[in-house]
Amino acid sequence: MSARPTTLAEIFPEPPADLDREALDLAAIPRHVAIIMDGNGRWAQARGLDRGEGHKAGIRAVREAITTCNDVGVRCLTIYSFSTENWKRPQDEVKGLMTLFAETMSAEVKGLMAEGVRIKLLGRTDELPLATRTVLCGAEKASESNTGMTLAIAINYGSRTEMADAARSLAADVAAGTLRPGDIDEAAFEQRLYTAGLPDPDLLIRTSGELRLSNFLLWQLAYAEFYITDVLWPDFDRYELLRALLAYQGRNRRFGEVK
């Protein structure tokens, strides 16, 4: 196995002329990056291709994002793969996506394991098709003791559903007498979210220029920095990620304080 790149010149070997890779401070990389990957369909349409080809192209961008985040030192990367609302899409597209998810994880899990990546699934995975669920949950189980970057895959995920599930869990414990209502605070609520144990995102990236959260991590993004780009997801490469990281490092994060 070849050694992982460790210098900026190795990670970003051919940056565009307008990008100064040396301006990136590897000591100030966000711990947790979350990405709303948008634009696969439009990318395909612009090329006269089927939407499914756009999703396949998007997988290549996912692979590059994982590798680059791991190389620069991001500790957690969350990707919004499939929302609870996406079931409303044409059934052929949904079926194709579920097959693509299973095939991609089957092909990538060995490499992710070699990199020490821990896989965590966010969402109602019990509602996924059996074949997709088996592959994804198997990869999550196999990687649970890995100590490298966490790859959180939001699939059949909706933030409102997540918060309702968390509230229902707390209510059940109160009804059972194992939890007092007065003990319910923000920390107790966070422990019932799908993201329990993960730090809140520092940086949210959304591609394709859309200006909405689309029911993604509504609780966890309270103090995240937002980076919106018009680039469609299949075209989002390591240099577009570098742009996002440089923009993040130029922000003054106040968390409600005056600084």
Side-chain angles (χ1 to χ4, degrees):
M1 182 187 302
S2 59
R4 278 180 54 194
T6 56
T7 68
L8 289 170
E10 291 173 323
I11 300 169
F12 303 104
E14 298 178 352
D18 65 329
L19 266 182
D20 179 11
R21 67 188 175 203
E22 300 304 323
L24 186 68
D25 183 357
L26 290 177
I29 295 295
R31 288 183 307 165
H32 186 170
V33 174
I35 305 179
I36 300 176
M37 307 176 295
D38 200 8
N40 290 346
R42 275 165 283 176
W43 183 93
Q45 184 179 27
R47 289 160 177 78
L49 301 173
D50 181 84
R51 286 178 62 86
E53 294 303 312
H55 295 312
K56 291 177 183 178
I59 291 296
R60 294 193 289 272
V62 170
R63 186 179 296 114
E64 179 142 343
I66 293 170
T67 298
T68 309
C69 281
N70 203 19
D71 287 345
V72 300
V74 171
R75 295 304 301 158
C76 181
L77 170 64
T78 297
I79 54 175
Y80 201 8
S81 299
F82 191 88
S83 75
T84 51
E85 291 76 26
N86 287 156
W87 295 108
K88 300 173 186 177
R89 291 184 176 186
Q91 285 307 297
D92 285 349
E93 182 178 354
V94 171
K95 184 177 179 181
L97 278 169
M98 291 299 151
T99 299
L100 183 61
F101 293 147
E103 291 177 347
T104 300
M105 183 57 73
S106 294
E108 299 292 336
V109 67
K110 185 176 179 180
L112 293 172
M113 291 292 293
E115 293 291 337
V117 173
R118 181 173 73 102
I119 298 162
K120 183 176 176 62
L121 303 178
L122 311 178
R124 289 184 171 178
T125 55
D126 58 312
E127 297 174 353
L128 296 174
L130 178 60
T132 304
R133 183 170 74 246
T134 299
V135 171
L136 293 180
C137 291
E140 181 181 46
K141 178 67 175 178
S143 68
E144 63 184 2
S145 62
N146 288 351
T147 58
M149 185 183 78
T150 295
L151 172 63
I153 303 172
I155 183 166
N156 194 24
Y157 173 89
S159 190
R160 289 180 174 181
T161 298
E162 175 185 31
M163 289 191 281
D165 285 348
R168 189 177 300 110
S169 174
L170 290 167
D173 282 355
V174 170
T178 59
L179 180 68
R180 296 181 301 177
D183 291 333
I184 298 175
D185 55 12
E186 290 185 13
F189 187 73
E190 288 173 352
Q191 286 303 308
R192 308 300 176 107
L193 295 173
Y194 306 149
T195 53
L198 300 180
D200 285 344
D202 301 294
L203 171 64
L204 170 72
I205 298 170
R206 177 155 193 163
T207 59
S208 86
E210 301 293 349
L211 301 175
R212 57 179 179 271
L213 286 177
S214 297
N215 199 17
F216 183 54
L217 301 177
L218 301 179
W219 175 278
Q220 298 89 337
L221 290 171
Y223 281 102
E225 298 294 325
F226 286 19
Y227 178 82
I228 309 297
T229 175
D230 289 333
V231 173
L232 302 177
W233 177 246
D235 293 327
F236 191 89
D237 60 13
R238 66 184 57 232
Y239 301 106
E240 295 301 330
L241 179 61
L242 175 58
R243 292 183 196 279
L245 294 173
L246 288 171
Y248 168 82
Q249 291 187 350
R251 307 279 178 87
N252 178 18
R253 304 189 72 199
R254 296 189 297 273
F255 299 97
E257 302 175 21
V258 176
K259 293 183 180 180

Coordinates of all heavy atoms in Angstrom, one line a residue, residues 103-170:
E103 N -23.8 -1.4 -4.0 CA -22.6 -1.8 -4.9 C -21.4 -1.0 -4.5 O -20.3 -1.5 -4.5 CB -23.0 -1.6 -6.4 CG -24.0 -2.6 -6.9 CD -24.4 -2.4 -8.3 OE1 -24.1 -1.3 -8.9 OE2 -25.0 -3.3 -8.9
T104 N -21.6 0.3 -4.3 CA -20.5 1.2 -3.9 C -19.9 0.8 -2.6 O -18.6 0.7 -2.5 CB -21.0 2.7 -3.9 OG1 -21.5 3.0 -5.2 CG2 -19.8 3.6 -3.5
M105 N -20.7 0.6 -1.6 CA -20.1 0.2 -0.3 C -19.4 -1.2 -0.4 O -18.3 -1.3 0.2 CB -21.2 0.1 0.8 CG -20.7 -0.2 2.2 SD -19.4 0.9 2.7 CE -20.4 2.4 3.1
S106 N -20.0 -2.1 -1.1 CA -19.3 -3.4 -1.3 C -17.9 -3.2 -2.0 O -16.9 -3.9 -1.6 CB -20.1 -4.3 -2.2 OG -21.3 -4.6 -1.6
A107 N -17.8 -2.3 -2.9 CA -16.6 -2.0 -3.6 C -15.6 -1.2 -2.8 O -14.3 -1.4 -2.9 CB -16.8 -1.3 -4.9
E108 N -16.1 -0.4 -1.9 CA -15.2 0.6 -1.2 C -14.8 0.1 0.2 O -13.9 0.7 0.8 CB -15.9 1.9 -1.1 CG -16.2 2.6 -2.5 CD -14.9 3.0 -3.2 OE1 -13.8 3.2 -2.6 OE2 -14.9 3.0 -4.5
V109 N -15.6 -0.8 0.8 CA -15.4 -1.1 2.2 C -14.0 -1.5 2.6 O -13.4 -1.2 3.6 CB -16.5 -2.0 2.7 CG1 -16.3 -3.4 2.1 CG2 -16.4 -2.1 4.3
K110 N -13.4 -2.3 1.7 CA -12.0 -2.8 2.0 C -11.0 -1.7 2.1 O -10.2 -1.6 3.0 CB -11.6 -3.8 0.9 CG -10.2 -4.4 1.1 CD -9.9 -5.5 0.1 CE -8.5 -6.1 0.4 NZ -8.2 -7.1 -0.7
G111 N -11.1 -0.7 1.1 CA -10.3 0.4 1.2 C -10.5 1.3 2.4 O -9.6 1.8 3.0
L112 N -11.8 1.5 2.8 CA -12.1 2.3 3.9 C -11.6 1.7 5.2 O -11.0 2.3 6.1 CB -13.6 2.5 4.0 CG -14.3 3.3 2.9 CD1 -15.8 3.3 3.0 CD2 -13.8 4.8 3.0
M113 N -11.6 0.3 5.3 CA -11.1 -0.4 6.4 C -9.6 -0.2 6.5 O -9.0 0.0 7.6 CB -11.5 -1.9 6.3 CG -13.0 -2.1 6.5 SD -13.5 -1.8 8.2 CE -12.6 -3.1 9.1
A114 N -8.9 -0.3 5.3 CA -7.5 -0.1 5.3 C -7.1 1.3 5.8 O -6.0 1.4 6.4 CB -7.0 -0.4 3.9
E115 N -7.9 2.3 5.6 CA -7.6 3.6 6.0 C -8.0 3.9 7.4 O -7.8 5.0 8.0 CB -8.3 4.6 5.1 CG -7.8 4.7 3.7 CD -6.4 5.2 3.6 OE1 -6.0 6.0 4.5 OE2 -5.7 4.9 2.6
G116 N -8.6 2.9 8.1 CA -9.1 3.0 9.5 C -10.3 3.8 9.6 O -10.6 4.3 10.7
V117 N -11.1 4.0 8.5 CA -12.3 4.8 8.6 C -13.4 4.1 9.3 O -13.7 2.9 9.0 CB -12.8 5.2 7.1 CG1 -14.1 5.9 7.2 CG2 -11.7 6.1 6.5
R118 N -14.1 4.8 10.2 CA -15.2 4.2 10.9 C -16.5 4.7 10.2 O -16.7 5.9 10.0 CB -15.3 4.7 12.4 CG -16.4 4.1 13.2 CD -16.3 4.4 14.6 NE -16.6 5.8 14.9 CZ -17.7 6.3 15.5 NH1 -18.7 5.5 15.7 NH2 -17.8 7.6 15.7
I119 N -17.4 3.8 9.9 CA -18.6 4.1 9.2 C -19.8 4.2 10.2 O -19.9 3.3 11.0 CB -18.9 3.1 8.1 CG1 -17.8 3.1 7.0 CG2 -20.3 3.3 7.4 CD1 -17.8 1.8 6.2
K120 N -20.6 5.2 10.1 CA -21.7 5.4 11.0 C -22.9 5.8 10.1 O -22.8 6.7 9.3 CB -21.5 6.5 12.1 CG -22.6 6.6 13.1 CD -22.2 7.6 14.1 CE -23.4 7.9 15.1 NZ -23.8 6.7 15.9
L121 N -24.0 5.0 10.3 CA -25.2 5.3 9.5 C -26.1 6.2 10.3 O -26.4 6.0 11.5 CB -25.9 4.0 9.2 CG -25.1 3.0 8.4 CD1 -25.9 1.7 8.2 CD2 -24.6 3.5 7.1
L122 N -26.7 7.2 9.7 CA -27.7 8.1 10.3 C -29.0 8.0 9.6 O -29.0 8.2 8.4 CB -27.2 9.6 10.2 CG -25.7 9.9 10.7 CD1 -25.4 11.3 10.4 CD2 -25.5 9.5 12.1
G123 N -30.0 7.7 10.3 CA -31.4 7.6 9.7 C -32.1 6.3 10.0 O -31.6 5.5 10.8
R124 N -33.3 6.2 9.5 CA -34.0 5.0 9.8 C -33.6 3.8 8.8 O -34.3 3.5 7.8 CB -35.5 5.3 9.6 CG -36.1 6.1 10.7 CD -37.6 6.3 10.6 NE -38.2 7.0 11.8 CZ -39.4 7.3 11.9 NH1 -40.3 7.0 10.9 NH2 -39.9 7.9 13.0
T125 N -32.5 3.2 9.1 CA -31.9 2.2 8.2 C -32.8 1.0 8.2 O -32.7 0.2 7.2 CB -30.5 1.9 8.7 OG1 -30.5 1.4 10.0 CG2 -29.6 3.1 8.5
D126 N -33.6 0.7 9.2 CA -34.5 -0.5 9.2 C -35.5 -0.4 8.0 O -36.1 -1.4 7.7 CB -35.2 -0.6 10.5 CG -36.0 0.6 10.9 OD1 -35.5 1.7 10.8 OD2 -37.2 0.4 11.3
E127 N -35.7 0.8 7.4 CA -36.7 0.9 6.4 C -36.1 0.8 5.0 O -36.8 0.9 4.0 CB -37.4 2.3 6.5 CG -38.2 2.4 7.8 CD -38.8 3.8 8.0 OE1 -38.5 4.7 7.2 OE2 -39.6 4.0 8.9
L128 N -34.8 0.6 4.9 CA -34.1 0.4 3.6 C -34.3 -1.0 3.1 O -34.6 -1.9 3.8 CB -32.6 0.6 3.8 CG -32.1 2.0 4.3 CD1 -30.6 1.9 4.5 CD2 -32.4 3.0 3.2
P129 N -34.2 -1.1 1.7 CA -34.4 -2.5 1.2 C -33.3 -3.4 1.8 O -32.2 -3.0 2.2 CB -34.1 -2.3 -0.3 CG -34.4 -0.8 -0.6 CD -34.1 -0.1 0.7
L130 N -33.7 -4.7 1.9 CA -32.9 -5.7 2.6 C -31.4 -5.7 2.1 O -30.5 -5.7 2.9 CB -33.5 -7.0 2.6 CG -32.7 -8.2 3.2 CD1 -32.5 -7.9 4.7 CD2 -33.4 -9.5 3.0
A131 N -31.3 -5.8 0.8 CA -29.9 -5.9 0.2 C -29.1 -4.7 0.6 O -27.9 -4.8 1.0 CB -30.0 -6.1 -1.3
T132 N -29.6 -3.5 0.5 CA -28.9 -2.3 0.8 C -28.6 -2.2 2.3 O -27.5 -1.9 2.7 CB -29.7 -1.0 0.4 OG1 -30.1 -1.1 -1.0 CG2 -29.0 0.2 0.6
R133 N -29.6 -2.5 3.1 CA -29.4 -2.5 4.5 C -28.3 -3.5 5.0 O -27.5 -3.2 5.9 CB -30.7 -2.8 5.2 CG -30.7 -2.7 6.8 CD -32.1 -2.8 7.3 NE -32.7 -4.2 7.3 CZ -33.7 -4.5 6.5 NH1 -34.3 -3.6 5.8 NH2 -34.2 -5.8 6.6
T134 N -28.3 -4.7 4.4 CA -27.4 -5.7 4.8 C -25.9 -5.2 4.5 O -25.1 -5.4 5.4 CB -27.7 -7.0 4.0 OG1 -29.0 -7.5 4.4 CG2 -26.6 -8.1 4.4
V135 N -25.7 -4.7 3.4 CA -24.3 -4.2 3.0 C -23.9 -3.1 3.9 O -22.8 -3.1 4.5 CB -24.3 -3.8 1.5 CG1 -22.9 -3.2 1.2 CG2 -24.5 -5.1 0.6
L136 N -24.8 -2.1 4.0 CA -24.4 -0.9 4.8 C -24.2 -1.2 6.3 O -23.2 -0.8 6.9 CB -25.4 0.2 4.6 CG -25.6 0.8 3.2 CD1 -26.6 1.9 3.2 CD2 -24.2 1.4 2.7
C137 N -25.1 -1.9 6.9 CA -25.0 -2.3 8.3 C -23.8 -3.2 8.5 O -23.2 -3.1 9.6 CB -26.3 -2.9 8.8 SG -27.7 -1.7 8.8
G138 N -23.5 -4.0 7.6 CA -22.4 -4.9 7.7 C -21.1 -4.1 7.7 O -20.2 -4.4 8.5
A139 N -21.0 -3.1 6.9 CA -19.8 -2.2 6.9 C -19.7 -1.4 8.2 O -18.6 -1.2 8.7 CB -19.9 -1.3 5.7
E140 N -20.8 -0.9 8.7 CA -20.8 -0.2 9.9 C -20.3 -1.1 11.1 O -19.5 -0.7 11.9 CB -22.2 0.3 10.2 CG -22.3 1.1 11.5 CD -23.7 1.6 11.8 OE1 -24.7 0.8 11.7 OE2 -23.9 2.8 12.1
K141 N -20.8 -2.3 11.1 CA -20.4 -3.2 12.2 C -18.9 -3.6 12.1 O -18.2 -3.6 13.1 CB -21.3 -4.5 12.1 CG -20.9 -5.6 13.1 CD -21.2 -5.1 14.5 CE -21.0 -6.3 15.5 NZ -21.3 -5.8 16.9
A142 N -18.5 -3.8 10.8 CA -17.1 -4.2 10.6 C -16.1 -3.1 11.0 O -15.0 -3.4 11.4 CB -16.9 -4.7 9.2
S143 N -16.5 -1.9 10.9 CA -15.6 -0.8 11.1 C -15.8 -0.1 12.5 O -15.1 0.9 12.7 CB -15.9 0.3 10.0 OG -17.1 0.9 10.2
E144 N -16.6 -0.6 13.3 CA -16.9 0.1 14.6 C -15.8 0.3 15.5 O -15.8 1.2 16.3 CB -18.1 -0.6 15.3 CG -17.7 -2.0 15.8 CD -18.9 -2.7 16.4 OE1 -20.0 -2.1 16.4 OE2 -18.8 -3.9 16.9
S145 N -14.7 -0.5 15.4 CA -13.6 -0.3 16.3 C -12.4 0.5 15.6 O -11.4 0.7 16.2 CB -13.0 -1.7 16.7 OG -12.6 -2.5 15.6
N146 N -12.7 0.9 14.4 CA -11.6 1.7 13.7 C -11.5 3.1 14.4 O -12.5 3.6 14.9 CB -12.0 2.0 12.2 CG -11.8 0.7 11.4 OD1 -11.3 -0.3 11.8 ND2 -12.3 0.7 10.1
T147 N -10.3 3.6 14.3 CA -10.0 4.9 15.1 C -9.7 6.0 14.2 O -9.3 7.1 14.7 CB -8.9 4.6 16.1 OG1 -7.7 4.2 15.3 CG2 -9.2 3.6 17.1
G148 N -9.8 5.9 12.9 CA -9.6 7.0 12.0 C -10.8 7.9 11.8 O -11.6 8.0 12.7
M149 N -10.8 8.6 10.7 CA -11.9 9.5 10.4 C -13.3 8.7 10.4 O -13.4 7.6 10.0 CB -11.8 10.1 9.0 CG -12.8 11.2 8.7 SD -12.6 11.9 7.0 CE -13.3 10.6 6.0
T150 N -14.3 9.4 10.9 CA -15.7 8.8 10.9 C -16.3 9.3 9.6 O -16.4 10.5 9.4 CB -16.5 9.2 12.1 OG1 -15.9 8.7 13.3 CG2 -17.9 8.8 12.0
L151 N -16.9 8.4 8.9 CA -17.7 8.7 7.7 C -19.1 8.4 8.1 O -19.5 7.2 8.2 CB -17.3 7.8 6.5 CG -18.2 7.9 5.3 CD1 -18.2 9.3 4.7 CD2 -17.8 6.9 4.2
A152 N -19.9 9.5 8.3 CA -21.3 9.3 8.7 C -22.1 9.5 7.4 O -22.0 10.5 6.7 CB -21.7 10.4 9.7
I153 N -23.0 8.4 7.1 CA -23.8 8.4 5.9 C -25.2 8.6 6.3 O -25.8 7.8 7.0 CB -23.6 7.1 5.2 CG1 -22.1 6.8 4.9 CG2 -24.4 7.0 3.9 CD1 -21.8 5.4 4.3
A154 N -25.8 9.8 6.0 CA -27.2 10.1 6.3 C -28.0 9.5 5.1 O -28.0 10.0 4.0 CB -27.4 11.6 6.4
I155 N -28.7 8.4 5.5 CA -29.5 7.7 4.4 C -30.9 7.3 5.0 O -30.9 6.8 6.2 CB -28.7 6.4 4.0 CG1 -29.5 5.7 2.8 CG2 -28.4 5.5 5.1 CD1 -28.6 4.7 2.1
N156 N -31.9 7.6 4.3 CA -33.3 7.6 4.8 C -33.3 8.5 6.1 O -33.8 8.1 7.1 CB -33.8 6.2 5.1 CG -35.3 6.2 5.4 OD1 -36.0 7.1 4.9 ND2 -35.8 5.2 6.1
Y157 N -32.7 9.6 5.9 CA -32.5 10.6 7.0 C -33.4 11.8 6.8 O -33.5 12.4 5.7 CB -31.0 11.0 7.1 CG -30.8 12.1 8.1 CD1 -30.6 11.8 9.5 CD2 -31.0 13.5 7.8 CE1 -30.4 12.8 10.4 CE2 -30.8 14.5 8.7 CZ -30.5 14.1 10.1 OH -30.4 15.1 11.0
G158 N -34.0 12.2 7.9 CA -34.7 13.5 7.9 C -34.5 14.1 9.3 O -34.7 13.4 10.3
S159 N -34.1 15.3 9.4 CA -33.8 15.9 10.7 C -35.1 16.0 11.6 O -35.0 15.8 12.8 CB -33.2 17.3 10.6 OG -32.7 17.7 11.8
R160 N -36.2 16.3 11.1 CA -37.4 16.4 11.9 C -37.8 15.0 12.4 O -38.2 14.8 13.6 CB -38.6 17.0 11.0 CG -38.4 18.5 10.8 CD -39.6 19.0 9.9 NE -39.5 20.5 9.8 CZ -40.4 21.2 9.2 NH1 -41.4 20.6 8.6 NH2 -40.2 22.5 9.1
T161 N -37.6 14.0 11.6 CA -37.9 12.6 12.0 C -36.9 12.2 13.1 O -37.3 11.6 14.1 CB -37.7 11.6 10.8 OG1 -38.7 11.9 9.8 CG2 -37.9 10.2 11.3
E162 N -35.7 12.6 12.9 CA -34.6 12.3 14.0 C -35.0 13.0 15.3 O -34.9 12.3 16.4 CB -33.3 12.9 13.5 CG -32.2 12.8 14.5 CD -30.9 13.5 14.1 OE1 -31.0 14.5 13.4 OE2 -29.8 13.0 14.5
M163 N -35.5 14.2 15.3 CA -35.8 14.9 16.6 C -37.1 14.3 17.2 O -37.2 14.2 18.4 CB -35.9 16.4 16.3 CG -34.6 17.0 16.1 SD -34.6 18.8 16.1 CE -35.2 19.2 14.5
A164 N -38.0 13.9 16.3 CA -39.2 13.2 16.8 C -38.9 11.9 17.4 O -39.4 11.5 18.5 CB -40.3 13.0 15.7
D165 N -38.0 11.1 16.8 CA -37.5 9.9 17.4 C -36.9 10.1 18.7 O -37.0 9.3 19.7 CB -36.6 9.2 16.4 CG -37.3 8.5 15.2 OD1 -38.6 8.5 15.3 OD2 -36.6 8.1 14.3
A166 N -36.0 11.1 18.8 CA -35.4 11.4 20.1 C -36.3 11.8 21.2 O -36.2 11.3 22.3 CB -34.4 12.6 19.9
A167 N -37.4 12.6 20.8 CA -38.4 13.0 21.8 C -39.2 11.8 22.3 O -39.5 11.6 23.5 CB -39.3 14.0 21.2
R168 N -39.5 10.9 21.3 CA -40.2 9.7 21.7 C -39.4 8.8 22.6 O -40.0 8.2 23.5 CB -40.6 8.9 20.4 CG -41.6 7.8 20.6 CD -41.9 7.1 19.2 NE -42.5 8.1 18.3 CZ -41.9 8.6 17.2 NH1 -40.7 8.2 16.9 NH2 -42.6 9.5 16.5
S169 N -38.1 8.7 22.4 CA -37.3 7.9 23.3 C -37.2 8.4 24.7 O -37.3 7.7 25.7 CB -35.9 7.8 22.7 OG -35.0 7.2 23.5
L170 N -37.1 9.7 24.8 CA -37.1 10.4 26.1 C -38.5 10.2 26.8 O -38.5 9.9 28.0 CB -36.8 11.9 26.0 CG -35.4 12.2 25.6 CD1 -35.3 13.7 25.2 CD2 -34.4 11.9 26.7

